[in-house]
Amino acid sequence: MRLAALSGLPVIYLLTHDSIAVGEDGPTHQPIEQLPSLRLVPNMNVFRPCNGIEVMYAWRRALLEKSRPSCIVLSRQQINMVSTPLGSELSRGAYVIYPSDSKRVRATILATGSEVPLAIEVAKKLGNAVQVVSVLSVADFRKQDVEYKKQMLAGLVVAIEAAASAPWFEFADVVFGIDAFGASGDGMDVYQKFGFDADIIVADIKNKIK
């Protein structure tokens, strides 16, 4: 992968088993550190889609590339499907997939891939003035203008991703990640064991929202 990026080759990599929720396969199949590591490779696209629309966009981008490889990171486990609103600008790397019902956004939840449905569940439990932003490509989002970033990072910014937490502090005030190797067991049990549970996250966010 590194040589493909260094050489400017438009190779497409399809990766599965994207989180600790793969379950009984255990820590050897749970890429806690690999996703953020891939994002650090220069000249490489890294997409972590949350639904079919995002997969199609990532695939199209990868096919059109001429001078860089693309990684499309997919989930093995079943996840609840969420819809991308019409007119969403996927090319910006991040967009509001679940809008706030208030003009004054009190909190924004950033999430990627299989954590987007969880983020939306959290937002619904928190109620008014919380938006969810799907971050399909961190690198593309990083390139956006200040005004767009302000819209995507309104209020208290919380990131949820089943991977190393440190990189998300570039954008977020609070991060729900995983900084240890995973565990073997039922996928959802493992997910909850490491704090990826809507009620746990809601309680924490409530204590931090001003």
Side-chain angles (χ1 to χ4, degrees), residues 88-89 92-98 105 107-111 131-135 141 144-158 171-172:
S88 296
E89 298 182 272
R92 288 182 175 263
Y95 65 95
V96 176
I97 194 167
Y98 180 82
V105 177
T108 295
I109 304 175
L110 306 177
Q131 67 178 8
V132 175
V133 171
S134 176
V135 186
F141 179 52
Q144 301 310 307
D145 58 77
V146 173
E147 191 57 38
Y148 187 78
K149 286 181 179 177
K150 283 183 178 178
Q151 294 174 27
M152 297 299 108
L153 303 173
L156 177 77
V157 181
V158 178
F171 306 111

Side-chain angles (χ1 to χ4, degrees), residues 104-168:
R104 180 178 177 269
V105 177
R106 298 175 63 209
T108 295
I109 304 175
L110 306 177
T112 72
S114 51
E115 279 72 73
V116 172
L118 172 62
I120 292 175
E121 183 183 355
V122 169
K124 288 179 178 178
K125 286 177 177 288
L126 285 170
N128 298 338
V130 178
Q131 67 178 8
V132 175
V133 171
S134 176
V135 186
L136 175 60
S137 166
V138 172
D140 286 346
F141 179 52
R142 191 178 286 124
K143 295 175 185 175
Q144 301 310 307
D145 58 77
V146 173
E147 191 57 38
Y148 187 78
K149 286 181 179 177
K150 283 183 178 178
Q151 294 174 27
M152 297 299 108
L153 303 173
L156 177 77
V157 181
V158 178
I160 304 176
E161 186 176 67
S165 59
W168 282 105

Side-chain angles (χ1 to χ4, degrees), residues 3 55 91 145 152 161 185 188:
L3 286 175
V55 171
S91 62
D145 58 77
M152 297 299 108
E161 186 176 67
M188 290 313 299

